[in-house]
Coordinates of all heavy atoms in Angstrom, one line a residue:
M1 N 0.8 -1.1 0.0 CA -0.1 0.0 0.0 C 0.8 1.2 0.0 O 2.1 1.2 0.5 CB -0.9 0.0 1.3 CG -1.8 1.2 1.4 SD -3.2 1.2 2.6 CE -2.5 0.3 3.8
R2 N 0.4 2.3 -0.7 CA 1.2 3.5 -0.7 C 0.2 4.6 -0.2 O -0.9 4.9 -0.8 CB 1.6 3.7 -2.1 CG 2.3 5.1 -2.4 CD 2.8 5.3 -3.8 NE 3.4 6.6 -4.0 CZ 4.6 6.7 -4.0 NH1 5.6 5.7 -3.8 NH2 5.2 7.9 -4.2
V3 N 0.6 5.3 0.8 CA -0.2 6.6 1.3 C 0.5 7.8 0.9 O 1.7 7.9 1.2 CB -0.5 6.5 2.8 CG1 -1.1 7.7 3.4 CG2 -1.3 5.2 3.1
E4 N -0.1 8.7 0.3 CA 0.5 10.2 0.0 C -0.3 11.2 0.7 O -1.6 11.2 0.5 CB 0.5 10.3 -1.5 CG 1.3 9.2 -2.3 CD 1.2 9.4 -3.8 OE1 0.1 8.9 -4.2 OE2 2.1 9.9 -4.3
I5 N 0.3 12.1 1.5 CA -0.2 13.1 2.0 C 0.2 14.5 1.3 O 1.4 14.7 1.1 CB 0.1 13.2 3.5 CG1 -0.3 12.0 4.1 CG2 -0.7 14.6 4.1 CD1 -1.5 11.9 5.0
F6 N -0.8 15.2 0.6 CA -0.4 16.5 0.0 C -0.7 17.5 1.0 O -1.9 17.9 1.3 CB -1.3 16.5 -1.3 CG -1.0 15.5 -2.3 CD1 -1.6 14.2 -2.2 CD2 0.0 15.8 -3.3 CE1 -1.2 13.2 -3.0 CE2 0.3 14.7 -4.1 CZ -0.3 13.4 -4.1
D7 N 0.3 17.9 1.7 CA 0.0 18.9 2.9 C -0.1 20.3 2.5 O 0.5 20.7 1.4 CB 1.3 18.8 3.8 CG 1.3 17.7 4.7 OD1 0.3 17.4 5.5 OD2 2.3 16.9 4.8
P8 N -0.6 21.2 3.3 CA -0.6 22.7 3.2 C 0.9 22.9 3.5 O 1.6 22.1 4.0 CB -1.5 23.2 4.1 CG -1.7 22.2 5.0 CD -1.5 20.8 4.3
E9 N 1.3 24.2 3.3 CA 2.6 24.6 3.7 C 2.8 24.4 5.3 O 1.9 24.8 6.1 CB 3.0 26.1 3.3 CG 3.1 26.2 1.9 CD 4.2 25.2 1.3 OE1 5.3 25.3 1.9 OE2 4.1 24.7 0.4
L10 N 3.9 23.8 5.7 CA 4.1 23.6 7.1 C 5.5 24.1 7.3 O 6.2 24.3 6.4 CB 4.1 22.1 7.3 CG 2.7 21.3 7.1 CD1 2.9 19.8 7.2 CD2 1.6 21.8 8.1
C11 N 5.8 24.3 8.7 CA 7.1 24.8 9.1 C 8.3 23.8 8.8 O 9.3 24.3 8.7 CB 7.0 25.3 10.5 SG 6.5 24.0 11.7
C12 N 7.9 22.5 8.7 CA 8.9 21.5 8.6 C 8.2 20.4 7.7 O 7.0 20.4 7.5 CB 9.5 20.9 9.8 SG 8.2 20.2 10.9
T13 N 8.8 19.3 7.5 CA 8.2 18.3 6.6 C 7.0 17.6 7.3 O 6.2 17.0 6.6 CB 9.2 17.2 6.2 OG1 9.8 16.7 7.4 CG2 10.2 17.8 5.4
S14 N 7.1 17.6 8.6 CA 5.9 16.8 9.4 C 5.0 17.8 10.0 O 3.8 17.5 10.3 CB 6.5 15.8 10.4 OG 7.0 16.7 11.5
G15 N 5.4 19.1 10.2 CA 4.6 20.1 10.9 C 4.5 19.9 12.4 O 3.9 20.7 13.1
V16 N 5.4 18.9 13.0 CA 5.4 18.6 14.3 C 6.7 19.2 14.8 O 7.7 18.5 15.0 CB 5.4 17.2 14.5 CG1 5.4 16.8 16.1 CG2 4.1 16.5 14.0
C17 N 6.8 20.6 14.9 CA 7.9 21.2 15.4 C 7.5 22.5 16.1 O 6.3 22.8 16.2 CB 8.9 21.5 14.2 SG 8.1 22.4 12.9
G18 N 8.4 23.2 16.6 CA 8.1 24.4 17.3 C 7.6 24.2 18.7 O 7.6 23.1 19.1
S19 N 7.3 25.2 19.4 CA 6.9 25.1 20.9 C 5.6 24.6 21.1 O 5.2 24.2 22.2 CB 7.1 26.4 21.4 OG 6.3 27.3 20.9
A20 N 4.7 24.7 20.0 CA 3.2 24.4 20.3 C 2.7 23.7 19.0 O 1.8 24.3 18.4 CB 2.4 25.6 20.5
P21 N 3.2 22.4 18.7 CA 2.7 21.8 17.4 C 1.2 21.5 17.5 O 0.7 21.2 18.5 CB 3.5 20.5 17.4 CG 4.0 20.3 18.8 CD 4.2 21.6 19.4
D22 N 0.5 21.4 16.4 CA -0.9 21.1 16.3 C -1.1 19.6 16.7 O -0.5 18.7 16.1 CB -1.2 21.4 14.8 CG -2.6 21.1 14.5 OD1 -3.3 20.3 15.3 OD2 -3.2 21.6 13.5
P23 N -2.0 19.4 17.6 CA -2.2 18.0 18.1 C -2.7 17.1 16.8 O -2.4 15.9 16.9 CB -3.3 18.1 19.1 CG -3.4 19.6 19.4 CD -2.8 20.5 18.3
T24 N -3.4 17.6 15.9 CA -3.8 16.8 14.7 C -2.6 16.4 14.0 O -2.5 15.1 13.5 CB -4.6 17.6 13.9 OG1 -5.9 18.1 14.5 CG2 -5.1 16.8 12.6
L25 N -1.6 17.3 13.9 CA -0.3 16.8 13.0 C 0.4 15.9 13.9 O 1.0 15.0 13.2 CB 0.4 18.1 12.8 CG -0.2 19.1 11.8 CD1 0.7 20.3 11.6 CD2 -0.3 18.4 10.4
I26 N 0.4 15.9 15.2 CA 1.1 14.9 16.0 C 0.4 13.5 15.8 O 1.1 12.6 15.6 CB 1.1 15.3 17.5 CG1 1.9 16.5 17.6 CG2 1.6 14.1 18.3 CD1 1.8 17.2 19.1
R27 N -0.9 13.5 15.8 CA -1.7 12.3 15.7 C -1.4 11.6 14.2 O -1.1 10.6 14.1 CB -3.3 12.6 15.7 CG -4.1 11.3 15.6 CD -5.5 11.6 15.6 NE -5.9 12.5 14.6 CZ -6.1 12.4 13.1 NH1 -5.9 11.2 12.8 NH2 -6.5 13.3 12.4
V28 N -1.4 12.5 13.2 CA -1.1 12.1 11.8 C 0.3 11.5 11.7 O 0.5 10.5 11.0 CB -1.4 13.3 10.8 CG1 -0.8 12.8 9.4 CG2 -2.9 13.6 10.7
E29 N 1.3 12.2 12.3 CA 2.6 11.6 12.2 C 2.8 10.4 12.9 O 3.6 9.4 12.4 CB 3.6 12.7 12.8 CG 4.9 12.4 12.7 CD 5.5 12.4 11.1 OE1 4.9 12.9 10.2 OE2 6.6 11.7 10.9
E30 N 2.1 10.3 14.0 CA 2.3 8.9 14.7 C 1.4 7.8 13.9 O 2.0 6.8 13.8 CB 1.4 9.0 16.1 CG 2.3 9.8 17.1 CD 1.4 10.1 18.4 OE1 0.1 9.9 18.4 OE2 2.0 10.6 19.3
M31 N 0.3 8.1 13.2 CA -0.3 7.2 12.4 C 0.5 6.7 11.3 O 0.7 5.6 10.9 CB -1.6 7.7 12.0 CG -2.3 6.8 10.9 SD -3.6 7.7 10.1 CE -2.8 8.9 9.0
L32 N 1.3 7.7 10.6 CA 2.0 7.5 9.5 C 3.3 6.7 9.9 O 3.7 5.7 9.1 CB 2.5 8.8 8.8 CG 1.3 9.5 8.1 CD1 1.9 10.9 7.6 CD2 0.8 8.9 7.2
E33 N 3.8 6.9 11.0 CA 5.0 6.1 11.4 C 4.6 4.6 11.8 O 5.3 3.7 11.4 CB 5.5 6.7 12.8 CG 6.3 8.0 12.5 CD 7.4 7.9 11.5 OE1 8.2 6.9 11.5 OE2 7.6 8.7 10.7
Q34 N 3.3 4.5 12.3 CA 2.8 3.1 12.4 C 2.6 2.5 11.1 O 3.0 1.2 11.0 CB 1.5 3.1 13.3 CG 0.7 1.8 13.4 CD 1.7 0.9 14.4 OE1 2.3 1.4 15.3 NE2 1.9 -0.3 14.0
L35 N 2.1 3.0 10.1 CA 1.9 2.6 8.8 C 3.3 2.0 8.2 O 3.4 1.0 7.7 CB 1.1 3.5 7.9 CG -0.3 3.8 8.2 CD1 -0.8 4.8 7.3 CD2 -1.1 2.4 7.8
K36 N 4.3 3.1 8.3 CA 5.7 2.6 7.8 C 6.1 1.5 8.5 O 6.7 0.5 7.9 CB 6.6 3.8 8.2 CG 6.3 5.0 7.2 CD 7.3 6.1 7.6 CE 7.0 7.5 7.1 NZ 8.0 8.6 7.5
A37 N 5.9 1.3 9.9 CA 6.4 0.1 10.6 C 5.8 -1.1 10.1 O 6.3 -2.2 10.1 CB 6.2 0.3 12.1
E38 N 4.6 -1.0 9.6 CA 3.8 -2.1 9.0 C 4.1 -2.4 7.6 O 3.5 -3.3 7.0 CB 2.3 -1.9 9.3 CG 1.9 -1.9 10.7 CD 0.4 -1.5 10.9 OE1 -0.3 -1.1 9.9 OE2 0.0 -1.4 12.0
G39 N 5.0 -1.7 7.0 CA 5.5 -1.9 5.5 C 4.7 -1.0 4.6 O 5.0 -1.3 3.3
T40 N 3.9 -0.1 5.0 CA 3.4 0.8 4.0 C 4.3 1.9 3.5 O 5.1 2.5 4.3 CB 2.1 1.6 4.6 OG1 1.2 0.5 5.1 CG2 1.4 2.5 3.7
T41 N 4.3 2.3 2.2 CA 5.1 3.2 1.7 C 4.3 4.6 2.0 O 3.2 4.7 1.6 CB 5.2 3.2 0.2 OG1 6.0 1.9 -0.1 CG2 6.1 4.3 -0.4
V42 N 4.9 5.5 2.7 CA 4.3 6.8 3.0 C 5.1 8.0 2.4 O 6.3 8.0 2.6 CB 4.2 6.9 4.7 CG1 3.8 8.3 5.0 CG2 3.4 5.8 5.2
M43 N 4.4 8.7 1.7 CA 5.1 10.1 1.2 C 4.3 11.1 1.6 O 3.0 11.2 1.6 CB 5.1 10.0 -0.3 CG 5.7 8.7 -1.0 SD 7.6 8.6 -0.5 CE 8.2 10.1 -1.4
R44 N 4.9 12.3 2.1 CA 4.4 13.7 2.3 C 4.9 14.6 1.5 O 6.2 14.7 1.2 CB 4.6 14.0 3.7 CG 3.7 13.1 4.7 CD 4.0 13.6 6.1 NE 3.0 14.6 6.3 CZ 2.6 14.9 7.5 NH1 3.2 14.5 8.6 NH2 1.8 16.0 7.8
Y45 N 4.0 15.6 0.8 CA 4.5 16.5 -0.1 C 3.9 17.8 0.4 O 2.9 18.0 0.8 CB 3.9 16.2 -1.5 CG 4.2 14.9 -2.0 CD1 3.1 13.9 -2.1 CD2 5.5 14.5 -2.4 CE1 3.3 12.5 -2.7 CE2 5.7 13.1 -2.9 CZ 4.6 12.2 -3.0 OH 4.8 11.1 -3.6
Q46 N 4.8 18.9 0.1 CA 4.4 20.3 0.3 C 4.6 21.0 -1.1 O 5.6 20.7 -1.8 CB 5.2 20.9 1.3 CG 4.9 20.5 2.7 CD 5.6 21.3 3.7 OE1 5.8 22.5 3.6 NE2 6.0 20.6 4.9
L47 N 3.6 21.8 -1.5 CA 3.6 22.4 -2.8 C 4.9 23.1 -3.2 O 5.4 22.9 -4.3 CB 2.5 23.4 -2.9 CG 2.0 23.9 -4.3 CD1 1.9 22.7 -5.3 CD2 0.8 24.6 -4.2
S48 N 5.5 23.9 -2.1 CA 6.7 24.6 -2.5 C 7.9 23.7 -2.7 O 8.9 24.1 -3.4 CB 7.0 25.8 -1.4 OG 7.2 25.0 -0.2
R49 N 7.9 22.5 -2.2 CA 9.0 21.7 -2.3 C 8.8 20.4 -3.1 O 9.9 19.9 -3.6 CB 9.3 21.1 -0.8 CG 9.6 22.1 0.3 CD 9.8 21.5 1.6 NE 10.1 22.5 2.7 CZ 9.8 22.6 3.8 NH1 9.3 21.5 4.4 NH2 10.1 23.5 4.7
H50 N 7.6 20.1 -3.5 CA 7.4 18.8 -4.3 C 6.2 19.3 -5.3 O 5.3 18.4 -5.5 CB 7.0 17.6 -3.5 CG 7.7 17.5 -2.3 ND1 7.5 17.9 -0.9 CD2 9.1 16.9 -2.1 CE1 8.4 17.6 -0.2 NE2 9.4 17.0 -0.8
A51 N 6.4 20.3 -6.1 CA 5.3 20.7 -6.8 C 4.9 19.6 -7.9 O 3.8 19.5 -8.3 CB 5.8 22.0 -7.6
T52 N 5.9 18.9 -8.5 CA 5.6 17.8 -9.4 C 4.6 16.7 -8.8 O 3.8 16.4 -9.6 CB 6.9 17.3 -9.9 OG1 7.7 18.2 -10.4 CG2 6.6 16.2 -10.9
A53 N 4.8 16.4 -7.7 CA 3.8 15.5 -7.1 C 2.4 15.9 -7.0 O 1.4 15.1 -7.3 CB 4.2 15.1 -5.5
F54 N 2.2 17.1 -7.0 CA 0.8 17.7 -6.9 C 0.3 17.6 -8.5 O -1.0 17.7 -8.6 CB 0.8 19.1 -6.5 CG 0.9 19.3 -4.9 CD1 2.2 19.1 -4.3 CD2 -0.2 19.6 -4.2 CE1 2.2 19.2 -3.0 CE2 -0.1 19.7 -2.8 CZ 1.1 19.4 -2.2
T55 N 1.0 17.7 -9.4 CA 0.4 17.7 -10.8 C 0.4 16.3 -11.4 O -0.2 16.0 -12.3 CB 1.3 18.6 -11.7 OG1 2.8 18.1 -11.6 CG2 1.2 20.1 -11.2
E56 N 1.2 15.2 -10.7 CA 1.2 13.9 -11.3 C -0.1 13.1 -10.9 O -0.4 12.2 -11.7 CB 2.4 13.2 -10.9 CG 3.8 13.7 -11.4 CD 5.0 13.1 -10.8 OE1 5.0 12.4 -9.7 OE2 6.0 13.0 -11.5
N57 N -0.7 13.6 -9.9 CA -2.0 12.9 -9.5 C -3.1 13.8 -10.2 O -3.3 15.0 -9.6 CB -2.2 12.9 -8.0 CG -3.4 12.1 -7.6 OD1 -4.6 12.5 -8.0 ND2 -3.3 11.0 -6.8
P58 N -3.8 13.4 -11.0 CA -4.8 14.2 -11.8 C -5.9 14.7 -10.9 O -6.3 15.9 -11.1 CB -5.4 13.2 -12.8 CG -4.5 12.1 -13.0 CD -3.8 11.9 -11.7
T59 N -6.4 14.0 -10.0 CA -7.4 14.3 -9.0 C -6.8 15.6 -8.0 O -7.5 16.5 -8.0 CB -7.9 13.3 -8.2 OG1 -8.4 12.3 -9.1 CG2 -9.1 13.7 -7.3
V60 N -5.7 15.4 -7.6 CA -5.1 16.3 -6.7 C -4.9 17.7 -7.6 O -5.3 18.7 -7.1 CB -3.7 16.0 -6.1 CG1 -3.0 17.1 -5.5 CG2 -3.9 14.8 -5.2
H61 N -4.5 17.5 -8.8 CA -4.1 18.6 -9.5 C -5.5 19.3 -9.9 O -5.5 20.6 -9.8 CB -3.4 18.2 -10.9 CG -3.0 19.3 -11.7 ND1 -3.3 19.4 -13.1 CD2 -2.4 20.5 -11.5 CE1 -2.8 20.4 -13.6 NE2 -2.3 21.3 -12.7
R62 N -6.5 18.7 -10.3 CA -7.8 19.3 -10.7 C -8.4 19.9 -9.3 O -9.0 21.0 -9.5 CB -8.8 18.2 -11.1 CG -10.0 18.7 -11.5 CD -11.0 17.7 -12.3 NE -11.2 16.6 -11.4 CZ -10.7 15.3 -11.5 NH1 -9.9 15.1 -12.6 NH2 -11.1 14.3 -10.7
T63 N -8.3 19.3 -8.2 CA -8.8 19.9 -7.0 C -8.1 21.2 -6.7 O -8.9 22.2 -6.3 CB -8.7 18.9 -5.8 OG1 -9.4 17.6 -6.2 CG2 -9.3 19.4 -4.5
L64 N -6.8 21.4 -6.8 CA -6.0 22.5 -6.6 C -6.5 23.5 -7.5 O -6.7 24.8 -7.1 CB -4.6 22.2 -6.6 CG -3.9 21.6 -5.5 CD1 -2.6 21.4 -5.7 CD2 -4.2 22.4 -4.2
L65 N -6.7 23.2 -8.8 CA -7.0 24.2 -9.8 C -8.5 24.8 -9.5 O -8.7 26.0 -9.7 CB -7.1 23.5 -11.3 CG -5.8 23.3 -11.8 CD1 -5.9 22.6 -13.1 CD2 -4.9 24.5 -12.0
E66 N -9.4 23.9 -9.0 CA -10.8 24.3 -8.7 C -11.0 25.1 -7.3 O -11.7 26.0 -7.3 CB -11.7 23.1 -8.9 CG -11.8 22.5 -10.1 CD -12.7 21.2 -10.3 OE1 -13.0 20.7 -9.2 OE2 -12.8 20.7 -11.4
D67 N -10.2 24.5 -6.4 CA -10.5 25.0 -5.1 C -9.2 25.7 -4.4 O -9.3 26.2 -3.3 CB -10.8 23.8 -4.1 CG -12.0 23.1 -4.6 OD1 -13.0 23.8 -5.2 OD2 -12.2 21.8 -4.4
G68 N -8.1 25.7 -5.1 CA -6.9 26.2 -4.5 C -6.3 25.5 -3.3 O -6.8 24.3 -3.1
T69 N -5.4 26.0 -2.6 CA -4.8 25.4 -1.6 C -5.6 25.2 -0.2 O -5.3 24.5 0.5 CB -3.5 26.2 -1.1 OG1 -3.9 27.5 -0.8 CG2 -2.4 26.3 -2.3
A70 N -6.9 25.9 -0.2 CA -7.7 25.7 0.8 C -8.2 24.2 0.8 O -8.7 23.7 1.9 CB -9.0 26.6 0.7
A71 N -8.1 23.4 -0.3 CA -8.4 22.0 -0.3 C -7.5 21.1 0.4 O -7.8 19.9 0.7 CB -8.6 21.6 -1.8
L72 N -6.3 21.7 0.8 CA -5.2 20.9 1.4 C -5.5 20.7 2.9 O -6.1 21.7 3.4 CB -3.9 21.4 1.1 CG -3.5 21.6 -0.3 CD1 -2.2 22.3 -0.3 CD2 -3.3 20.2 -1.0
P73 N -5.2 19.6 3.5 CA -4.5 18.5 2.9 C -5.3 17.6 2.1 O -6.6 17.5 2.3 CB -3.9 17.8 4.2 CG -5.0 18.1 5.3 CD -5.5 19.4 4.9
I74 N -4.8 16.8 1.3 CA -5.4 15.8 0.4 C -4.5 14.5 0.7 O -3.3 14.5 0.7 CB -5.3 16.2 -1.0 CG1 -6.1 17.4 -1.2 CG2 -5.8 15.0 -2.0 CD1 -6.0 18.0 -2.8
T75 N -5.4 13.4 0.9 CA -4.7 12.0 1.1 C -5.2 11.2 0.0 O -6.2 11.1 -0.3 CB -5.1 11.5 2.5 OG1 -4.7 12.6 3.5 CG2 -4.3 10.2 2.7
A76 N -4.1 10.4 -0.5 CA -4.3 9.5 -1.6 C -3.9 8.1 -1.0 O -2.8 8.1 -0.5 CB -3.7 9.8 -2.8
V77 N -4.6 7.1 -1.3 CA -4.1 5.7 -1.0 C -4.1 4.9 -2.3 O -5.1 4.8 -3.1 CB -5.1 5.0 -0.1 CG1 -4.8 3.5 0.4 CG2 -5.2 5.9 1.3
D78 N -2.9 4.5 -2.6 CA -2.7 3.8 -4.0 C -3.0 4.6 -5.1 O -3.7 4.1 -6.0 CB -3.4 2.4 -3.9 CG -2.7 1.5 -2.9 OD1 -1.4 1.6 -2.6 OD2 -3.5 0.6 -2.4
G79 N -2.8 6.0 -4.9 CA -3.1 6.8 -6.2 C -4.5 7.4 -6.1 O -4.7 8.3 -7.0
V80 N -5.4 6.8 -5.3 CA -6.7 7.2 -5.4 C -7.0 8.3 -4.2 O -6.8 7.8 -3.0 CB -7.7 6.1 -5.3 CG1 -9.3 6.6 -5.1 CG2 -7.5 5.1 -6.4
V81 N -7.5 9.4 -4.5 CA -7.8 10.4 -3.4 C -8.9 9.9 -2.4 O -10.0 9.6 -3.0 CB -8.2 11.7 -4.0 CG1 -8.8 12.7 -2.9 CG2 -6.9 12.4 -4.6
Q82 N -8.7 9.9 -1.3 CA -9.7 9.5 -0.1 C -10.1 10.5 0.8 O -11.4 10.5 1.0 CB -8.9 8.4 0.8 CG -8.4 7.1 -0.1 CD -9.6 6.3 -0.6 OE1 -10.7 6.2 -0.1 NE2 -9.3 5.9 -1.8
W83 N -9.3 11.6 1.0 CA -9.8 12.6 1.8 C -9.3 14.0 1.3 O -8.1 14.1 0.7 CB -9.1 12.5 3.3 CG -9.6 11.3 4.1 CD1 -10.7 11.3 4.7 CD2 -9.0 10.0 4.1 NE1 -10.9 10.0 5.3 CE2 -9.9 9.2 4.9 CE3 -7.9 9.5 3.5 CZ2 -9.6 7.8 5.3 CZ3 -7.6 8.2 3.8 CH2 -8.5 7.4 4.8
V84 N -10.2 15.0 1.4 CA -9.8 16.3 0.9 C -10.1 17.3 1.9 O -11.2 17.3 2.5 CB -10.7 16.7 -0.5 CG1 -10.3 18.2 -1.0 CG2 -10.2 15.6 -1.6
G85 N -9.3 18.2 2.2 CA -9.5 19.2 3.3 C -9.4 18.8 4.7 O -9.7 19.6 5.6
R86 N -9.0 17.6 4.9 CA -8.6 17.1 6.3 C -7.8 15.9 6.3 O -7.6 15.2 5.2 CB -9.9 16.8 6.9 CG -10.6 15.5 6.4 CD -11.9 15.2 7.0 NE -12.7 14.0 6.6 CZ -12.4 12.7 7.0 NH1 -11.5 12.5 7.9 NH2 -13.0 11.7 6.4
Y87 N -7.1 15.6 7.4 CA -6.4 14.4 7.4 C -7.2 13.2 7.9 O -8.2 13.4 8.4 CB -5.3 14.7 8.5 CG -4.3 15.6 8.2 CD1 -4.3 17.0 8.7 CD2 -3.2 15.3 7.4 CE1 -3.3 17.9 8.3 CE2 -2.2 16.2 7.0 CZ -2.2 17.5 7.4 OH -1.4 18.5 7.1
P88 N -6.7 12.1 7.5 CA -7.5 10.7 7.8 C -7.5 10.6 9.3 O -6.6 11.1 10.0 CB -6.8 9.7 7.0 CG -5.3 10.2 6.8 CD -5.5 11.8 6.8

């Protein structure tokens, strides 16, 4: 299985940094680490750092064109978008 998270801009690659990290981002990072431990391929992308990833998935690309970055985060599982505008 492959899980891809198309994040909004974060202060670091996971968003779990600084003096008061968002509890949602902590939960997501813990979940992703568990998935990795179980053998799942996990990728996280930020538009400014991985622009190509946002255009390679047609649904993500179309969603960004239609709704802008307000649609982020977007989560795809095996290339199919499952969640838009929230983390799983």
Side-chain angles (χ1 to χ4, degrees):
M1 179 171 33
R2 179 181 176 95
V3 175
E4 297 171 285
I5 306 253
F6 299 84
D7 282 306
E9 288 304 312
L10 303 170
C11 57
C12 61
T13 57
S14 67
V16 184
C17 54
S19 59
D22 182 337
T24 300
L25 293 174
I26 293 170
R27 180 187 57 79
V28 168
E29 187 62 20
E30 290 172 348
M31 175 192 66
L32 295 176
E33 289 302 317
Q34 179 65 38
L35 287 171
K36 287 180 193 177
E38 295 170 2
T40 300
T41 300
V42 174
M43 303 298 296
R44 290 186 82 170
Y45 308 113
Q46 289 185 34
L47 192 55
S48 64
R49 296 177 182 152
H50 313 101
T52 304
F54 285 76
T55 59
E56 288 177 343
N57 182 307
T59 305
V60 170
H61 187 227
R62 185 176 57 254
T63 301
L64 283 176
L65 289 175
E66 293 172 358
D67 301 328
T69 58
L72 299 175
I74 298 172
T75 303
V77 177
D78 293 330
V80 179
V81 170
Q82 301 292 321
W83 293 274
V84 175
R86 68 181 182 87
Y87 289 102

